[in-house]
Amino acid sequence: MDEVDAPALRRAYDELFAEIDAGGFGPPAEGDLSAEQVVAHLAANDELMSETTEAVLAGSPFAYYDLDTIHRPQLDALVSECGGLDGLAALFRVTSRRLCALADQLGPAVETPVETVLREGFDLDVDDALPWGRTLDLHVRVHLPMHLAQLRALRRQPHLA
């Protein structure tokens, strides 16, 4: 891999924004994330990925751990700080644009190994040094679509709280 598939990254974000903009989300099933928490997680994760990408571009050693962005107290604090889904969507647009712009700059640095820890359910479990481009590829092909499916499920099958 000699570059990030920037068009695929942007398409994945566009699909998420279309879903978020459509709104109409119901409450989550017991133990699941709300639409607001999903978007908060995505924005927080983008910030972590951007920090890592900046470090890769600067040639600095860095590790990427997604674990801290999924804890509910942190997500709830971000939901509160942003004032709900509209504010979160605005933040998420900023964080995703920043990550896309940084990913566009990677070039050969896409092969830089980064200690990566990703754990989200059974779909994504990584604890290894990966080329940073591979982690971004997992973000495009697995992580973002998984959260898109979560948002769609919150609309199609609202659950009783």
Side-chain angles (χ1 to χ4, degrees):
M1 170 182 289
D2 58 352
E3 65 182 45
V4 174
D5 187 350
L9 181 60
R10 286 180 172 82
R11 279 192 306 275
Y13 280 122
D14 286 345
E15 285 185 75
L16 279 159
F17 294 132
E19 197 66 28
I20 294 164
D21 291 345
F25 301 107
E30 180 77 26
D32 288 347
L33 297 178
S34 68
E36 291 85 358
Q37 290 170 322
V38 169
V39 178
H41 163 76
L42 289 166
N45 184 64
D46 278 356
E47 289 177 350
L48 289 173
M49 294 191 93
S50 290
E51 289 172 9
T52 305
T53 304
E54 287 174 332
V56 166
L57 287 166
S60 300
F62 207 82
Y64 168 68
Y65 298 95
D66 182 33
L67 302 177
D68 293 335
T69 67
I70 61 170
H71 296 299
R72 289 176 197 262
Q74 289 87 350
L75 296 179
D76 290 342
L78 188 54
V79 169
S80 177
E81 180 183 318
C82 290
L85 191 57
D86 289 343
L88 287 162
L91 174 63
F92 183 39
R93 279 177 172 32
V94 170
T95 61
S96 68
R97 278 194 301 265
R98 179 175 172 224
L99 180 58
C100 287
L102 289 166
D104 285 341
Q105 298 173 39
L106 278 169
V110 75
E111 293 297 331
T112 303
V114 173
E115 286 298 324
T116 301
V117 177
L118 295 166
R119 288 199 178 95
E120 291 206 34
F122 298 105
D123 296 325
L124 197 55
D125 187 359
V126 175
D127 187 353
D128 202 0
L130 294 179
W132 187 236
R134 176 72 179 122
T135 302
L136 289 169
D137 184 57
L138 286 170
H139 183 61
V140 171
R141 292 186 313 102
V142 180
H143 186 240
L144 294 177
M146 182 177 67
H147 290 300
L148 177 63
Q150 274 183 303
L151 290 172
R152 287 179 173 158
L154 285 167
R155 178 175 303 106
R156 278 199 309 267
Q157 302 170 346
H159 302 280
L160 298 175

